[in-house]
Amino acid sequence: MKASVKKKIWVPILAVALLVTASSFKSDFFEIAKQIEIFTTLFKELNMNYVDETNPGELMDSAIKNMLDELDPYTRFLNEQDVEAYKINNSGEYSGIGALVRSYESKLVIVEPYKGYAADKAGLKAGDEIIKIGETKVADFDDNASELLKGANNTSVEVTFVRQGQTKTATITREGVEVDAVPFYDMIDAKTGYIVLSRFNEKASSQTKSAIQDLKGRGAERLVLDLRGNPGGLLSEAINVTNLFVPKGELIVTTKSKVKKFNQEYRTRNQPEDENIPLVVLVDGKSASASEIVSGGLQDLDRAVIIGARSFGKGLVQRPLKLTYGTQLKVTISRYYTPSGRCIQALDYWHRDAEGNAVRNTDFKEYTTKNGRKVWDGGGVMPDVAIKSLKTNTLIDALQDNDVVFDFATNYFYDHSFANVDDFVFSDADYNAFKKYVQEQNFTFQTKTEELLEQSINADDSLLGAEVQEKYKDLLLAVNRGKISALDSYKNEIKKLLEDEIITRYFYREGLYQYFLAHDDAILTAKELLADNSKYASILK
């Protein structure tokens, strides 16, 4: 049975399968029991009488996951493999090939091999397309084929991959992989330390603390904490990282839920590492969840200046609940609120538009920080100092979502060479080559304006008339021309994405962060601000 058929059958019928976990179980007991009985009898009859053989496990997995899609993207059913991946993500340790991999229907793409780990030692590069693992073709594997790359230490796996049109093979010896929460830290100048915190796993606060101590030992009198691209993680570690800079007993997060036991206040429990050192926190549109707890908390307490672009806007808290047979339900249990009382959740998953998409909050409420500064809820953490090159829009998002930037960087890597990161320059000629590449890929995306215009064009001809229809078509052509010219309008923003992607190909993450120290707009702005005590203080007051 095809997946699309499964979804069509199951989504309207199984909207009750996991309601047994709901807190309203007692009050809705009869309705829940009734729906469970309907579901049980339907599932039994379907598997017994359907014209072809069915796979009960696959049907159930598909049904549950499609049902949960009606809620929010963070409430997920975790099968045994998902549970293991969840544990690995939190611990930061696993055994495998040591690479970030993106899964497609017929291939796995190496997004980033980690320096010095198995995939890197075997010669795999970003952009390599794995089509076969051992004797298993990725296209024939029903589940996530990336699981086949994991395994016990010192076991080997042969992969067949395509690189620049040529098919190659490599044997990779799996090994233990440690994913650092702090992959890089260094001095920006003689008095300014820089720390990258890339995830909130179990190592986040301890590694950040060690970095602070080392940098202060090297002369750091002020700090830049980089949370850009950090998708979040453990709530407890967000509290602990914030605690490094604020006193014991400070309220950082309040969670509110319909379940009374999930209504909690989270305060700092330890003495801070340094509650006075001048601090800048960098955020962007991919800084989410725990990153927003840290940046929002430090902003509300007037403990740090936030620099960058508006953060992602995830104000929801999840908790894994154990189910039977080693499975779990990772369920959204509450909303969280920063010290000023704001919830920075940007998307409203409970009020959707006509296409079923979550509605973005636009009606922001005003709150005040400890010193009386104005801040707002509902749209992520807004920076105190905005960096233009970090802003995003429909075009930039589409270039990334469609792998246009990634694929161009892959081709660029094989056409250019650099001895070290200081030699790297992405010239205007290179950017013109990128614009040509975009047009050759027949890259398309739809803006909100186009969507509205097309709806108008498809309206009743007799009502609008042919002349009006033609005017709409002319507008659409103008919009398309505007999208091409937008590649020039947003050159700086797109160029930064290209530079970041390309530098990582040559010099890994470490080289990218080293490049940032001398070239990144946000870091240079933070460095200048921290060197100006009066300006820094005036922002916080």
Side-chain angles (χ1 to χ4, degrees):
M1 186 187 296
K2 293 182 179 179
S4 60
V5 177
K6 290 182 194 175
K7 184 172 182 178
K8 195 175 293 183
I9 292 172
W10 286 101
V11 170
I13 296 175
L14 296 183
V16 295
L18 286 182
L19 285 178
V20 291
T21 62
S23 64
S24 58
F25 185 88
K26 292 181 181 179
S27 60
D28 295 334
F29 181 80
F30 173 76
E31 183 64 22
I32 292 172
K34 171 186 171 182
Q35 298 300 334
I36 290 175
E37 185 176 356
I38 292 172
F39 163 71
T40 303
T41 54
L42 180 146
F43 191 61
K44 176 182 176 182
E45 293 297 332
L46 181 68
N47 281 282
M48 288 176 61
N49 297 299
Y50 189 72
V51 63
D52 292 324
E53 287 294 321
T54 60
N55 184 318
E58 287 185 3
L59 283 175
M60 179 63 77
D61 195 66
S62 176
I64 293 173
K65 288 183 177 180
N66 281 302
M67 176 187 68
L68 296 180
D69 282 342
E70 298 295 314
L71 303 176
D72 64 69
Y74 314 112
T75 296
R76 311 305 303 167
F77 171 68
L78 307 178
N79 58 31
E80 295 94 327
Q81 291 79 20
D82 296 331
V83 170
E84 188 61 27
Y86 184 74
K87 291 178 181 176
I88 288 170
N89 188 55
N90 286 339
S91 68
E93 297 179 5
Y94 68 98
S95 180
I97 68 169
L100 180 62
V101 178
R102 186 181 297 133
S103 180
Y104 295 88
E105 187 173 340
S106 61
K107 63 186 178 182
L108 298 174
V109 175
I110 301 292
V111 175
E112 180 185 350
Y114 301 142
K115 183 178 180 181
Y117 281 107
D120 185 35
K121 288 187 284 190
L124 268 69
K125 303 291 184 183
D128 288 347
E129 301 175 356
I130 298 175
I131 57 174
K132 190 176 179 183
I133 303 171
E135 296 301 317
T136 303
K137 291 183 178 179
V138 173
D140 296 338
F141 196 73
D142 292 336
D143 295 323
N144 188 345
S146 64
E147 293 298 318
L148 299 175
L149 297 175
K150 298 175 183 176
N153 286 356
N154 300 318
T155 60
S156 296
V157 59
E158 184 177 82
V159 297
T160 303
F161 62 95
V162 177
R163 175 186 293 171
Q164 297 288 286
Q166 296 184 357
T167 301
K168 301 174 179 288
T169 61
T171 299
I172 309 174
T173 302
R174 300 182 183 95
E175 60 182 323
V177 179
E178 293 189 18
V179 182
D180 286 328
V182 176
F184 180 87
Y185 68 88
D186 203 351
M187 298 293 291
I188 301 174
D189 58 28
K191 294 185 177 181
T192 311
Y194 172 68
I195 302 171
V196 178
L197 179 54
S198 64
R199 66 195 69 227
F200 284 87
N201 60 24
E202 294 171 356
K203 305 175 182 180
S205 59
S206 62
Q207 290 190 344
T208 304
K209 181 177 180 178
S210 295
I212 294 170
Q213 292 173 341
D214 189 40
L215 290 171
K216 288 176 69 175
R218 291 157 61 179
E221 297 177 3
R222 48 218 183 204
L223 287 175
V224 177
L225 179 64
D226 196 341
L227 298 180
R228 289 176 295 177
N230 185 324
L234 298 173
L235 172 62
S236 58
E237 283 300 287
I239 308 298
N240 291 338
V241 168
T242 309
N243 194 174
L244 295 172
F245 305 103
V246 301
K248 181 179 179 180
E250 196 77 62
L251 176 66
I252 305 300
V253 172
T254 302
T255 58
K256 297 180 182 180
S257 169
K258 69 178 182 181
V259 182
K260 189 174 181 180
K261 67 178 180 180
F262 295 146
N263 294 333
Q264 296 186 35
E265 289 187 347
Y266 294 86
R267 296 179 179 272
T268 52
R269 297 183 175 182
N270 305 307
Q271 295 301 322
E273 181 63 27
D274 194 324
E275 63 178 291
N276 296 310
I277 191 169
L279 177 65
V280 162
V281 177
L282 307 182
V283 298
D284 64 9
K286 294 182 179 179
S287 305
S289 191
S291 293
E292 296 172 299
I293 289 174
V294 172
S295 56
L298 292 172
Q299 185 180 53
D300 282 0
L301 297 171
D302 297 301
R303 179 60 187 86
V305 173
I306 311 302
I307 290 179
R310 183 176 73 175
S311 66
F312 181 81
K314 180 177 179 286
L316 306 174
V317 179
Q318 288 72 45
R319 173 173 292 189
L321 304 177
K322 291 183 179 180
L323 306 176
T324 55
Y325 297 102
T327 62
Q328 292 184 7
L329 173 65
K330 183 165 75 74
V331 60
T332 298
I333 59 169
S334 59
R335 292 177 175 83
Y336 74 77
Y337 299 80
T338 65
S340 68
R342 55 184 171 143
C343 179
I344 50 81
Q345 178 64 26
L347 293 175
D348 185 350
Y349 295 104
W350 299 271
H351 297 88
R352 298 175 182 258
D353 61 22
E355 285 75 41
N357 299 314
V359 177
R360 181 169 290 278
N361 291 318
T362 56
D363 183 19
F364 301 149
K365 295 187 180 75
E366 184 180 294
Y367 294 80
T368 56
T369 68
K370 195 173 184 178
N371 289 341
R373 296 188 298 141
K374 294 179 181 179
V375 289
W376 293 266
D377 69 353
V381 175
M382 301 295 289
D384 301 307
V385 179
I387 302 297
K388 186 175 182 296
S389 61
L390 292 180
K391 291 183 178 179
T392 188
N393 54 40
T394 307
L395 168 63
I396 293 171
D397 290 341
L399 288 170
Q400 291 184 287
D401 293 343
N402 290 278
D403 297 331
V404 179
V405 170
F406 182 85
D407 291 341
F408 178 83
T410 299
N411 296 334
Y412 186 97
F413 173 76
Y414 291 106
D415 291 337
H416 300 76
S417 61
F418 300 96
N420 57 66
V421 71
D422 293 328
D423 294 335
F424 175 78
V425 176
F426 193 76
S427 66
D428 287 341
D430 291 330
Y431 192 75
N432 288 333
F434 172 72
K435 290 196 297 181
K436 182 180 178 183
Y437 176 80
V438 171
Q439 296 179 54
E440 289 172 348
Q441 302 308 301
N442 295 317
F443 165 69
T444 61
F445 68 99
Q446 190 174 52
T447 65
K448 192 68 176 176
T449 302
E450 284 178 292
E451 186 180 325
L452 293 171
L453 285 172
E454 285 191 1
Q455 289 173 3
S456 300
I457 289 174
N458 293 328
D460 191 345
D461 287 348
S462 63
L463 178 64
L464 295 177
E467 184 179 349
V468 175
Q469 293 279 335
E470 286 302 314
K471 293 292 184 183
Y472 275 123
K473 290 178 182 178
D474 289 341
L475 281 172
L476 271 176
L477 289 173
V479 170
N480 272 317
R481 288 193 296 270
K483 288 195 293 187
I484 296 300
S485 64
L487 290 170
D488 289 321
S489 301
Y490 296 99
K491 177 180 176 180
N492 290 338
E493 293 88 335
I494 297 170
K495 185 178 177 183
K496 174 171 173 50
L497 294 177
L498 289 163
E499 289 176 339
D500 291 358
E501 189 65 56
I502 291 168
I503 290 172
T504 308
R505 305 300 177 99
Y506 293 98
F507 308 110
Y508 304 91
R509 283 279 149 187
E510 182 180 348
L512 176 63
Y513 296 133
Q514 201 68 52
Y515 180 83
F516 278 178
L517 296 181
H519 300 89
D520 183 76
D521 289 345
I523 292 176
L524 295 178
T525 301
K527 171 186 170 182
E528 182 181 343
L529 175 64
L530 287 167
D532 188 337
N533 293 332
S534 60
K535 187 175 182 180
Y536 174 84
S538 69
I539 292 176
L540 295 179
K541 292 179 180 179

